[in-house]
Amino acid sequence: MGELSRRDRFWVWTLRMFAGRPFRRGHDTPEFAAHLQALGAVSLPPLDRPGEHELTISTLAGELDAGISVLRWHGARAPTVIYHHGGSEIPSTRTAARIFAPEELTTPVNAIVIRLPFHRSGLEFRGVLADLHAFLSMLAVGVGLTERVLTAAALRESAGTLVAGFSQGGFITNRHHLHCNSADAYLPMMAGTDQGELFLSLFPAVTGAAAERVCARLNFSTAWRTIEHANVFPVLARRDGINPLSLMGPGYGEVDVELWDTSHLAGFDDPARLREAIVRRLPGRS
């Protein structure tokens, strides 16, 4: 498989120093489906023109701020990509803006980015890592807003829809497939189905009952095995030192996984490769 990236491992060390012990405020929270079902109504902004929009949505963790950025709009009949950013990626459009840069992407694509709650500053993200209840509500907002966008009037004549995401965004991509599956295709990159196992790997200090609770709420590989995945096209990296292939790969089961000979952060910093993967998986293309 090759040596795990030193750059990735240094990032993990930095995260541990920055975040402290995750979910230290408690682990008592309903399962993800309850968080998703509890989301309140929200008025979507206009999706048929570029623009950034702030939203407030009611969750089990209270009123949370989120956002929707329409980066590119080529018309209702163009294919639409809903992109989910990585954890702590601030601004949330940092990677997507490079992927969908007009001078680089010649394919007509509508590109929409959903900003998760707790992603306006590093301190906000550090705070949500201390609270499993708020963390699950954050993930639920990502899934819920994705569904609301997919069912919006502006997308009814779309040539096809693709939900994509990197790292944390990849987990949200997979969760939307599991709970809604209303997009034509899904492209989760550097993520899998056992997010709880990832936290135990990143933070070995989480043990005992706390570890069991984290895995019970963040892993979903058991439910994953109960549905079909013909429209899911995962990408993992052989030298990923943050979301290791050894942890992320098994949960996909029989789903074919595309392997890149790179690391987590090197993949994150390669918009051309991310762009190619997205364009290749647009509905209607072989």
Side-chain angles (χ1 to χ4, degrees), residues 113-131:
V113 178
I114 293 178
R115 176 177 61 78
L116 293 182
F118 305 106
H119 278 77
R120 292 178 300 186
S121 71
L123 287 178
E124 270 198 343
F125 185 70
R126 180 182 182 184
V128 77
L129 288 179
D131 187 344

Side-chain angles (χ1 to χ4, degrees), residues 191-192 236 244-253 255 257:
L236 294 174
L245 174 61
S246 60
L247 284 181
M248 298 296 102
Y252 280 119
V255 179
V257 176

